[in-house]
Amino acid sequence: MSYKWLKWLILWIPTVAIGLWEYLRHALLLPFISMDLGNVLAPVFVFVITLTLLRALFAKLESMQESLQRERVVKAAFEEREQLARELHDGISQSLFMLSVKLDKLERAKTVDDMQQTTEQMRKTVRHVYDDVRQSIANLQELPIPADLSWMQSIHHLTAEMEQSCGIRTKVEWHLQEGVLSHKQKVELLAIMREALMNVQKHAKAEQIVIRCGSGQEWDAQPAVFCCSIADDGVGAPAEKLYEKGKYGVKMMQERADALGWSLSVQKTDPHGTTILISGGSNKK
């Protein structure tokens, strides 16, 4: 029995019960039961009928609600595992692959300078893996954001973590209406924002971050359903430097955006700082 049918039965059973009682009372029982006694017996009759029938329906409804709750928990756990697997693949596994390549290069080194240069590159890769492992462990140790929290609460939770961990002031200007993005798109956008904030924390030496988001019309980007920017006032870096070998943060964000058909660009702002701009359609189905 579906959830919809349960709701309708719970609504109609008391109505049908009182209607049936009134019909029987007036058609068959009126010679035997007075009006006053019939009025007294009517609520008792309805109570007995509804108690008998609705107990089973309410038990079924509670069982369905518990099943739905278990499905939500399983789905949330699966999404967390999927996100962690993607982070491990995009970050740690690629770093380990690069480390193996540099080990091969070290074996082929012919001069001391080549060996020292390759060794230093390997140290940087190991530090990168170490940072990724620490971040993954930190993400696992943190309490997950409850499913019933709103999208804005998730954003503010992320920015609060940023301010508490490294003292960078974070301002949010959010004008995107609820319902524009699907749940999966919200998860991916939040992951992009988290990666962007991590990059600022590691490299930018910034004092302030401003996150802005709104509709494409507000940004004069008519084809786009939404636009979102993460801007910092740090030292800044040329775009080509962010995409060079060994730089995985921007690559991970780009892959997430590409998977959803979004556009992502990194711009060096004047006089200093960096802005990451994400825009695209919702593609909700």
Side-chain angles (χ1 to χ4, degrees):
M1 185 179 295
S2 67
Y3 185 77
K4 182 178 179 181
W5 273 106
L6 280 176
K7 291 192 298 183
W8 279 109
L9 285 174
I10 291 171
L11 175 65
W12 281 105
I13 282 177
T15 304
V16 173
I18 191 64
L20 180 62
W21 165 254
E22 289 298 324
Y23 171 77
L24 292 174
R25 183 161 69 110
H26 288 85
L28 302 175
L29 303 177
L30 193 58
F32 309 101
I33 299 177
S34 66
M35 292 294 295
D36 292 338
L37 180 59
N39 292 335
V40 172
L41 291 178
V44 175
F45 174 77
V46 173
F47 177 76
V48 172
I49 293 296
T50 54
L51 180 64
T52 302
L53 297 178
L54 294 186
R55 284 181 61 184
L57 294 179
F58 277 121
K60 181 68 174 177
L61 184 62
E62 292 175 359
S63 175
M64 293 178 68
Q65 290 177 336
E66 291 176 358
S67 177
L68 288 173
Q69 183 62 30
R70 287 194 296 270
E71 289 180 4
R72 292 191 190 102
V73 172
V74 171
K75 181 179 179 181
F78 177 77
E79 289 174 350
E80 290 290 334
R81 290 177 61 183
E82 186 180 45
Q83 180 179 344
L84 179 60
R86 184 165 187 169
E87 290 175 354
L88 291 173
H89 174 268
D90 293 344
I92 298 175
S93 66
Q94 292 183 8
S95 296
L96 292 176
F97 173 75
M98 292 302 300
L99 187 61
S100 66
V101 171
K102 290 168 184 176
L103 280 171
D104 294 338
K105 183 178 178 181
L106 182 62
E107 291 179 351
R108 295 192 301 268
K110 298 180 179 180
T111 65
V112 176
D113 290 340
D114 290 341
M115 293 179 62
Q116 290 178 346
Q117 183 179 5
T118 304
T119 302
E120 182 60 30
Q121 292 175 352
M122 293 172 61
R123 287 196 184 98
K124 290 180 180 179
T125 302
V126 170
R127 284 195 293 266
H128 181 81
V129 174
Y130 175 71
D131 290 339
D132 283 345
V133 171
R134 287 189 59 187
Q135 184 61 41
S136 297
I137 293 174
N139 291 340
L140 289 174
Q141 290 175 339
E142 292 174 356
L143 291 175
I145 298 175
D148 58 346
L149 285 183
S150 70
W151 173 234
M152 281 311 303
Q153 285 176 301
S154 302
I155 300 296
H156 288 301
H157 179 84
L158 179 63
T159 57
E161 286 181 350
M162 188 70 177
E163 292 182 349
Q164 293 173 3
S165 62
C166 55
I168 301 178
R169 298 189 309 275
T170 307
K171 181 180 179 181
V172 178
E173 298 178 2
W174 204 268
H175 305 291
L176 189 66
Q177 294 183 352
E178 184 70 24
V180 173
L181 301 177
S182 67
H183 177 73
K184 177 176 176 57
Q185 290 164 339
K186 289 179 179 180
V187 170
E188 292 299 323
L189 182 57
L190 191 64
I192 292 174
M193 294 169 61
R194 181 182 290 111
E195 183 63 37
L197 295 181
M198 285 178 55
N199 288 342
V200 173
Q201 179 181 354
K202 290 179 181 179
H203 310 297
K205 300 178 182 178
E207 296 182 357
Q208 181 174 342
I209 300 171
V210 178
I211 298 174
R212 295 186 178 93
C213 192
S215 66
Q217 294 179 348
E218 294 175 4
W219 290 64
D220 293 328
Q222 295 296 333
V225 173
F226 81 98
C227 291
C228 180
S229 68
I230 303 101
D232 66 77
D233 61 351
V235 296
E240 60 272 12
K241 185 174 180 62
L242 296 172
Y243 288 95
E244 66 184 9
K245 289 184 177 181
K247 303 293 185 180
Y248 301 111
V250 176
K251 183 180 179 181
M252 290 170 61
M253 291 187 289
Q254 188 72 62
E255 289 179 350
R256 290 182 185 275
D258 291 343
L260 294 173
W262 294 347
S263 172
L264 185 145
S265 62
V266 182
Q267 305 167 357
K268 190 176 184 299
T269 54
D270 294 327
H272 48 72
T274 303
T275 298
I276 296 176
L277 180 63
I278 310 108
S279 62
S282 64
N283 293 326
K284 292 177 69 176
K285 297 181 179 178

